[in-house]
Structure formats: C-alpha cells, structure tokens
Amino acid sequence: MLDDRTTADTMWPTAYPQGYAVVDVETTGLARDDRIVSAAVYRLDAQGNVEDHWYTLVNPRRDPGPVWIHGLTSAMLADAPLFEDIAEEFADRLADRVLVAHNAIFDWQMIAREYARAAATAPVRQRLCTIALSKELNLPLPNHKLESLAAHFGVVQQRAHHALDDARVLAEAFRPSLHAAAQGGVRLPLLECRPLTEWSDSAVTPRVGYQASYRGSSWRPSRKRPPCPHPNPGRFEDGKPLKQGMRIAFSGDTSVERELLEDRAVEAGLHIATSVSRLTSLLVTNDPDSATSKTVKAKSFGTPVVDEAAFTQLLRDVAPAES
C-alpha cells in the first residue's frame, strides 16, 4: 500500500532528497508552442510515502490536440482555469521537491515553458526520470513504457493518459523503486532543471497535419553530450526495433523541438551523430528528397531513412544493447 510507512530501522541515504513531486501533464502536442491541458501532482515524503495529491484542467487557449489520447475536448476545457490562474498553486506543490516524471525532460520542458509564458519561474531545481531510474536498477522491463513499469510492481492502471491516474500509477511504482535504490546504495539519476530566462511566443501559421518547427535559438544552453555507453550494433532494419547504441542523425526541420527529440533518444540509449557516415544506423528527416549533405550521403551509403513520426514510434520500444 502507498501509505504504509517505512520501518524505523530502515537505513536511508542521507544524500537522498527530502521530498518529491510526482508529476504528469497532458498536452496539446509535443512541439515548442504546445500547451498543457491538465496537470497532476502527487507529493511524496523522503521515503516515497504519499502526502497528498492535486489535479487540475487547464484551458490551453487553442485546439486541445489529440483528444483521442487525453480525452479532453474544447468544450470540457472552455471553463477551465488558464495556466496563469493555477501557476501559484502548482508552484506550491512543486516547491522544494524533486520533480519526478516518466520521461521527465518532456514534462519539465512543458511546465517550464508555461511558467515562462506567465512571466514566472517554476520552483524546481532538480528532476528525476523514472525511465533512467529503472535503468539504474536494472529492472527486467520489456520496454520503458509506464504500463510496463507499473506491471513490474503490480500497479493497476485505471485511466491511461489521464494526468491524475498516470501520476498515481507513477507514484505507486516510484516508491518501491526508491526503496530498491536505497537498499542497494544506487545513486539517484538527478538532473538539474534550468528555468527559461526568455520566451518568444511568436505567431505561427498552422498547416493541417503539421506542427511548426523552430529555427530560432533554444532557451537551453548548448552542451556536449556524454558518450553513448553502448557499442554500435549496426544499421536499423525495417520491421525491427531500434537497438541501444545505434547512431542516429537528424536532417532538416522537425515538428518536435530537435533537442527534445535528441534528449529522448539519448535517454533511450541511442547515440546522436552530428553527421552521416558509413557507421550511421539511421537518418531521421521529414524531407528525404532534399539535397542536404546528410540526405545525399545517406543515399550514397545506403543508410536507412525514416520520418519523424516513425522515429517517435520507434523510440517507444528500443531494444537493450547486446552483451
């Protein structure tokens, strides 16, 4: 049970955080100008016990996006509060805690952008991704979906893609993960959260079936990524999953912010290649007929090419690196 208390004689690492905010947000999409339509927070103490929970709808002031996923229609959101109306209460739930989420880079970026639009800053300094934690614990999961993590710990999902239920499921799965890490002396994969310092919510002319890409400078500072720990298993084969260690190159505009796509790929155990060579496993591009140097080299080398949508699907089930 979630509210069972840790026994008094349990040794707990003093370096571990003293509180967590398990978060899930549902959004209108994945791109830079997409908005939050609902948010949920489960506040946990240092041992992962639930203190309270909170949920709200948010009026995104635009089309709600994939209703077939989150189930929230324009009519349902019409009378919901705007983000700036709930920003203070949301911040109270996050303050002085580590933000915990499944694929935390996504939730953090969506939250940070909403606060930037509201001319405020989210009170979050560190985040913890439960995908990264499951890897640190070497959990025998078939993939890194939330449903797989939940099934491993016997947690029953009731309403997938409902922010409150997803946050509950994650909180229930996080507690035993946290205990396993503490008992095994595993370092928690904590990452720094950098708030946005500036924001340009520029007007974008929408096109059916396409989300605008963003060529402007990102709010995140450029950084050198750590080397991929897995060997390159070779080229991607159609009909088979991606494998950890594969070298992935990107060319041209993407609907999802490029750095977000790259972060998700790195978290899945893939290598981001800045150019195309004979060792490149896959090129991701929405315009395979363009004459960019990467697409030209990919054709000459016979490098497999997929579009962004196919790559996003492949990211959901990346096979582990071979021993």
Side-chain angles (χ1 to χ4, degrees):
M1 297 290 294
L2 265 176
D3 56 357
D4 286 344
R5 297 294 157 177
T6 307
T7 56
D9 58 353
T10 298
M11 297 300 294
W12 205 262
T14 57
Y16 277 25
Q18 294 304 301
Y20 304 89
V22 178
V23 173
D24 185 77
V25 296
E26 296 299 319
T27 67
T28 61
L30 303 175
R32 185 181 173 94
D33 68 334
D34 276 302
R35 307 297 299 269
I36 291 175
V37 295
S38 65
V41 181
Y42 267 75
R43 290 197 292 190
L44 313 182
D45 65 16
Q47 285 77 40
N49 302 304
V50 172
E51 296 177 334
D52 57 32
H53 64 268
W54 172 81
Y55 171 73
T56 184
L57 296 177
V58 181
N59 185 337
R61 290 186 284 197
R62 52 158 289 176
D63 184 277
V67 175
W68 60 92
I69 294 178
H70 52 60
L72 299 174
T73 64
S74 295
M76 296 168 66
L77 297 171
D79 295 327
L82 302 177
F83 186 85
E84 50 264 39
D85 297 328
I86 58 95
E88 183 176 355
E89 186 172 7
F90 197 2
D92 288 341
R93 302 281 170 172
L94 301 175
D96 302 318
R97 295 170 186 267
V98 171
L99 184 149
V100 178
H102 205 64
N103 190 20
I105 180 64
F106 172 74
D107 293 80
W108 163 245
Q109 287 194 338
M110 295 303 297
I111 291 169
R113 287 180 184 130
E114 289 287 10
Y115 272 97
R117 291 186 186 97
T121 300
V124 178
R125 296 295 171 262
Q126 288 182 306
R127 67 178 184 270
L128 188 156
C129 179
T130 47
I131 295 176
L133 180 57
S134 68
K135 292 178 181 179
E136 292 286 342
L137 295 173
N138 294 314
L139 299 182
L141 304 178
N143 52 56
H144 297 297
K145 295 180 180 180
L146 176 58
E147 62 190 55
S148 297
L149 181 64
H152 177 77
F153 290 111
V155 180
V156 178
Q157 178 99 56
Q158 296 174 350
R159 296 181 63 186
H161 299 296
H162 184 283
L164 183 60
D165 196 56
D166 280 353
R168 175 192 62 82
V169 168
L170 190 57
E172 292 194 21
F174 177 64
R175 184 172 184 267
S177 298
L178 183 62
H179 283 228
Q183 292 166 8
V186 174
R187 178 191 62 85
L188 296 182
L190 300 173
L191 294 176
E192 180 186 1
C193 288
R194 296 189 180 95
L196 276 75
T197 55
E198 57 184 73
W199 175 260
S200 176
D201 204 4
S202 57
V204 178
T205 303
R207 284 187 279 163
V208 175
Y210 183 82
Q211 291 176 311
S213 61
Y214 298 84
R215 297 186 180 88
S217 60
S218 169
W219 61 270
R220 291 170 53 185
S222 60
R223 67 200 189 285
K224 183 178 180 181
R225 298 183 184 278
C228 181
H230 310 294
N232 185 358
R235 288 184 172 178
F236 166 75
E237 296 179 42
D238 189 30
K240 295 184 178 180
L242 293 169
K243 292 183 180 180
Q244 289 183 328
M246 281 187 170
R247 297 175 64 90
I248 310 299
F250 293 85
S251 178
D253 294 334
T254 55
S255 59
V256 177
E257 186 180 357
R258 175 72 65 83
E259 282 201 67
L260 175 57
L261 277 178
E262 291 180 351
D263 281 341
R264 292 176 65 187
V266 169
E267 289 181 356
L270 302 172
H271 173 92
I272 301 302
T274 56
S275 61
V276 173
S277 70
R278 296 183 187 277
L279 298 177
T280 304
S281 306
L282 182 69
L283 175 66
V284 179
T285 178
N286 289 323
D287 190 4
D289 296 323
S290 66
T292 66
S293 61
K294 290 180 181 178
T295 56
V296 170
K297 287 182 179 179
K299 290 178 180 179
S300 67
F301 295 146
T303 303
V305 177
V306 300
D307 64 16
E308 179 186 356
F311 179 68
T312 301
Q313 291 294 322
L314 290 168
L315 271 181
R316 297 181 178 180
D317 294 293
V318 177
E322 298 176 356
S323 301

